[in-house]
Amino acid sequence: MIPVHAHIEVAVALPVFQTFTYGVPEDVSDFIATGKRVLVPFGQRRITGYILGSTDRLADKDIKVILDVLDEHPLFPESMIPFFKWIADYYKYPLGDVIKTALPGGLNIYDFVSIAISEKGRQALSEGSVTPLEGKILQHLTSGSCRLRDLSKSLNHAVPSALIQALIGRGRITKIRKLSGGTTRTRTQRYVTLTGADICLSRRSVAKQKIIDLLNIEGEVSVKALKKRVPSAPALIRSLEKKGYVSLRQKPEYRDPFGETILPEAAPVLTAEQQVVVTRLCGQLKGGFHSFLLRGVTGSGKTEVYMQLAAEAINKALSVLVLVPEIALITQMERRFRARFGDRVAVLHSGLSAGERYDQWRRILDKQAAIVIGARSAIFAPLEDIGIIIVDEEHDTSYKQESTLRYNARDLAVVRAKLNNCLALLGSATPSLQSYYNVYRQKFTEVNLNERIEKRPLPKISVIDLRQSRDARGIRRFITPELHREMAITLERGEQVLLFLNRRGFASFPICASCGQALRCKHCDISLTLHQKANAYRCHYCGFTRASSSSCTICGSSRVKHLGMGTEKVEAAVRDLFPQASVARMDRDTTTRKGSILALLKGVNDKTIDVLVGTQMVAKGHDFPNITLVGIICADLSLSFPDFRAGERTFQLLAQVAGRAGRGDVPGRVILQTYNPEHFSILAAQEQDFISFYSQEIEFRKALGYPPISRMIQLKISGKDKHKTKAHARLLGDLCRDLKSAGSASFSKVAMMGPIEASLPRIAEHYRWQILLKCENTRVLHEFLGCLVAEHPTQFANRGVKTIIDVDPYFIM
DNA sequence: AGCACGCCGACT
DNA sequence: GTCGGCGTGCTC
């Protein structure tokens, strides 16, 4: 508790690295608490800040006083502040912005400038002593004040700011600062009860009597519920209230993101292997920080292990955080957890509305939910007394946020576990090299599930060499005769087929048959992709679209050849080969609508879909019990990326997608088509042998000094002006070089690659450069970055050229 | 981020 | 000589 008349430390949600001290007036001091938000004066503005605690650190300048306390209860527990501070320091991101990223959105209040007409202005307007534009502005303002920013737009005429200044100077308009935002709040319901007063009504209608009877039986009932049974209830209640027979009150209500109720389910008997893992980890609950890597083959029952660990944690009054890579998988996980733990489960993911998200947040804070299941951002769930943090499919790249605060939720899970003195459990059939390297360095303890449940065999994987394969007429087919035959057999038996190709669209390389030029995006240095369903060429980087009938921009010819393939082309080929089969496609183009993924998954489960064609989306952890054949159309696409993790991603993707086969009673089979059958990533995926893959890949990383042997930081430099961007990249490169030689002696160990032009040099009209910093010693690398940012803050705040610091980058293109 | 201040080119 | 362009620095 902060003493009366205290000073508080406040972080503001702006790109400002220091925190600020504010005074608290006596009359609100009782409402101050760490984790609440305050409205504070900041320069000319009023903005939202987060209370970090009391402070006796006084600034040299006059200290301002807070304007308001915005929350009745804290939005995050005090115990999370060290976590926020760690993130701010590690990712070189302003603390207030870190907290803003962590909290549910739509809560903050900010102000904006608005102008209104004054009495003098009205006079001038009626006298007509105004210029035409002045008149237009004043006339517009007679119907109410207007946001200054929107004035030009709503008048459809450019307004010089000098004119506004002049009008203010002559007192014809006034400038006001209005508050906006903070629209997400607790939703309340009106509830009715009988007051107990004797009811004597002159005319007792049937409806009124029904309401009174219901209230007599059920006590307190919401108006909404009454209205369902008696449509005229709201009006009748109003009249009953006027007479003092009933009383109304507002009660907070949690918005329900769960569509349907789920029947409770008892825990199954564990396999011997599962039991070993559960016993091992349960023994360490409450035993301090420790990280485990659970390596379990696809279909080995990792989720059941998670659930039994959660049950044990809850028994010990500890909370549980479960991270899952994406929404479709969260839904699966959430259903199983809710069947076991009922309403003690909260979910946090981007599929929730702002209100639902806020309510889930409040349920966690109110300790109504002790288990949180969510995507990446759920790492910020406001839990206290955490027993275990579980990261399912820990190798999944979607744990890395690729915008604003570029954190990796899997890494943060380990950090949060350490700060909370609890367990971290990372699970995967195909662990990241980073995590397995941590096992090797004894930072993590490995636990294993080597068998599929009910001893189902792993699918048999046949490799087809695309260089050799020809059909009967000697023509190369992307659905090879071998795959075609297997598909026919599988469909004949009434089983399902999954086809995987890691590229969406119809053709990824449209090329002009007259001049040989590729059709390129207007805004990016990239080839367009033909989307036949949408009748358009699309840029996958900026969203630029051209009609599919358009001709070559270079020579004007309309003869465009469609080279390269995507899931649309595969879908079309399957429809052609198997006209009687029902074919569905699952990729980003078919799953943008809310609920569309679930509809597709339901179609697979209900067997209304015979063949599912998809991108990596289908590889991720889904349980498809009736799929017995998986066809990998071309395993090489991810292998050819100019990125040192291409082999790792390929292995993970192939092993994961192969793992979708044979999860039911019938054994699975996989056809893997490739131009590189002897590549070790593909051979290891064929054998589903992670250790073999790891031991070869780690040698390659060692030889080149890449992660996980070293750590990397990437400076991503981008700007609209080609030359300014290049010049700024060069300048930053010089500063790094200077720091290496002139800074601390250990800085010589930091290797710098670049500045070089990015491999995608222009995206969305922005020119891109990059500098890669690499060092085997994480601490030295971060000290280096710390010095660089501290010594040259203005270089990172260059207005014309943006510099993004990506710590532990994942995609370095 | 957004607002003020300040220093140079093009207008009365 | 001023007006206004945007580059720089600061916000308890």
Side-chain angles (χ1 to χ4, degrees), chain A residues 34 57 176 296 337 430 483 533 553 566 583 625 642 653 756 788:
Chain A
T34 298
R57 183 200 68 181
I176 336 155
F337 269 78
T430 53
L483 177 57
K533 269 260 163 60
T553 44
V583 186
L653 212 47
I756 52 159
L788 191 68

Short mmCIF file of all heavy atoms in Angstrom, two decimals, chain A residues 34 57 176 296 337 430 483 533 553 566 583 625 642 653 756 788:
data_model
loop_
_atom_site.label_atom_id
_atom_site.label_comp_id
_atom_site.label_asym_id
_atom_site.label_seq_id
_atom_site.Cartn_x
_atom_site.Cartn_y
_atom_site.Cartn_z
N THR A 34 -0.37 -0.82 -7.05
CA THR A 34 0.47 -1.31 -8.14
C THR A 34 -0.36 -2.17 -9.09
O THR A 34 -1.15 -2.99 -8.64
CB THR A 34 1.63 -2.14 -7.56
OG1 THR A 34 2.40 -1.29 -6.73
CG2 THR A 34 2.50 -2.71 -8.66
N ARG A 57 12.10 8.40 -5.28
CA ARG A 57 12.99 9.04 -6.25
C ARG A 57 12.29 10.29 -6.79
O ARG A 57 11.23 10.23 -7.38
CB ARG A 57 13.25 8.07 -7.41
CG ARG A 57 14.21 8.61 -8.44
CD ARG A 57 14.06 7.88 -9.76
NE ARG A 57 12.78 8.19 -10.39
CZ ARG A 57 12.38 7.67 -11.54
NH1 ARG A 57 13.11 6.75 -12.13
NH2 ARG A 57 11.22 8.01 -12.08
N ILE A 176 -9.97 22.51 -27.83
CA ILE A 176 -10.30 21.73 -26.63
C ILE A 176 -9.59 20.38 -26.76
O ILE A 176 -9.45 19.85 -27.85
CB ILE A 176 -11.81 21.40 -26.50
CG1 ILE A 176 -12.67 22.42 -27.27
CG2 ILE A 176 -12.21 21.29 -25.06
CD1 ILE A 176 -13.99 21.84 -27.69
N GLY A 296 8.02 -36.36 -27.33
CA GLY A 296 7.08 -37.46 -27.48
C GLY A 296 6.67 -37.58 -28.92
O GLY A 296 6.30 -36.58 -29.54
N PHE A 337 -9.45 -29.87 -21.82
CA PHE A 337 -9.24 -29.36 -20.47
C PHE A 337 -10.56 -29.02 -19.79
O PHE A 337 -10.73 -29.26 -18.60
CB PHE A 337 -8.32 -28.12 -20.48
CG PHE A 337 -6.87 -28.45 -20.33
CD1 PHE A 337 -6.14 -28.94 -21.40
CD2 PHE A 337 -6.22 -28.28 -19.11
CE1 PHE A 337 -4.79 -29.26 -21.26
CE2 PHE A 337 -4.88 -28.59 -18.96
CZ PHE A 337 -4.17 -29.09 -20.04
N THR A 430 9.20 -32.94 -32.44
CA THR A 430 10.35 -32.49 -33.23
C THR A 430 10.91 -31.22 -32.59
O THR A 430 10.67 -30.13 -33.09
CB THR A 430 9.91 -32.17 -34.67
OG1 THR A 430 8.82 -31.24 -34.60
CG2 THR A 430 9.49 -33.39 -35.42
N LEU A 483 1.64 -42.02 -55.87
CA LEU A 483 0.70 -41.34 -54.97
C LEU A 483 -0.72 -41.53 -55.46
O LEU A 483 -1.64 -41.81 -54.69
CB LEU A 483 1.05 -39.85 -54.88
CG LEU A 483 0.11 -38.98 -54.03
CD1 LEU A 483 0.02 -39.49 -52.60
CD2 LEU A 483 0.58 -37.52 -54.03
N LYS A 533 -9.23 -18.96 -57.74
CA LYS A 533 -10.55 -18.77 -57.10
C LYS A 533 -10.91 -17.29 -57.05
O LYS A 533 -12.05 -16.91 -57.24
CB LYS A 533 -10.54 -19.34 -55.67
CG LYS A 533 -10.96 -20.79 -55.60
CD LYS A 533 -12.42 -20.92 -55.16
CE LYS A 533 -12.98 -22.30 -55.48
NZ LYS A 533 -12.22 -23.36 -54.79
N THR A 553 3.14 -6.36 -67.97
CA THR A 553 3.36 -4.91 -67.81
C THR A 553 4.55 -4.44 -68.64
O THR A 553 4.72 -3.25 -68.85
CB THR A 553 3.61 -4.54 -66.35
OG1 THR A 553 4.52 -5.50 -65.79
CG2 THR A 553 2.33 -4.53 -65.54
N GLY A 566 0.79 -24.28 -56.36
CA GLY A 566 0.32 -24.05 -55.00
C GLY A 566 -0.84 -24.98 -54.70
O GLY A 566 -1.22 -25.81 -55.54
N VAL A 583 -13.41 -32.85 -52.04
CA VAL A 583 -12.09 -32.28 -51.80
C VAL A 583 -12.24 -30.94 -51.09
O VAL A 583 -13.09 -30.13 -51.45
CB VAL A 583 -11.33 -32.06 -53.14
CG1 VAL A 583 -9.90 -31.60 -52.89
CG2 VAL A 583 -11.35 -33.33 -53.97
N PRO A 625 -8.36 -38.79 -36.83
CA PRO A 625 -8.29 -40.25 -36.65
C PRO A 625 -8.52 -41.06 -37.92
O PRO A 625 -8.07 -42.19 -38.00
CB PRO A 625 -9.38 -40.52 -35.61
CG PRO A 625 -10.16 -39.28 -35.46
CD PRO A 625 -9.39 -38.15 -36.02
N PRO A 642 16.71 -19.31 -48.48
CA PRO A 642 18.06 -18.85 -48.14
C PRO A 642 18.14 -18.49 -46.66
O PRO A 642 18.27 -17.34 -46.29
CB PRO A 642 18.22 -17.61 -49.02
CG PRO A 642 16.84 -17.10 -49.22
CD PRO A 642 15.93 -18.28 -49.17
N LEU A 653 8.52 -29.87 -40.32
CA LEU A 653 7.29 -29.87 -41.11
C LEU A 653 6.96 -31.27 -41.63
O LEU A 653 5.83 -31.74 -41.51
CB LEU A 653 7.51 -28.91 -42.29
CG LEU A 653 6.34 -28.14 -42.83
CD1 LEU A 653 5.55 -27.50 -41.71
CD2 LEU A 653 6.85 -27.07 -43.79
N ILE A 756 23.91 -5.44 -45.22
CA ILE A 756 23.63 -5.90 -46.58
C ILE A 756 22.16 -5.65 -46.90
O ILE A 756 21.33 -5.52 -45.99
CB ILE A 756 23.92 -7.41 -46.78
CG1 ILE A 756 23.21 -8.24 -45.70
CG2 ILE A 756 25.39 -7.71 -46.83
CD1 ILE A 756 23.02 -9.66 -46.08
N LEU A 788 25.25 -0.01 -27.71
CA LEU A 788 24.92 0.58 -29.01
C LEU A 788 23.69 1.48 -28.88
O LEU A 788 23.67 2.62 -29.37
CB LEU A 788 24.67 -0.54 -30.03
CG LEU A 788 24.56 -0.13 -31.49
CD1 LEU A 788 25.89 0.37 -32.00
CD2 LEU A 788 24.06 -1.29 -32.33
#
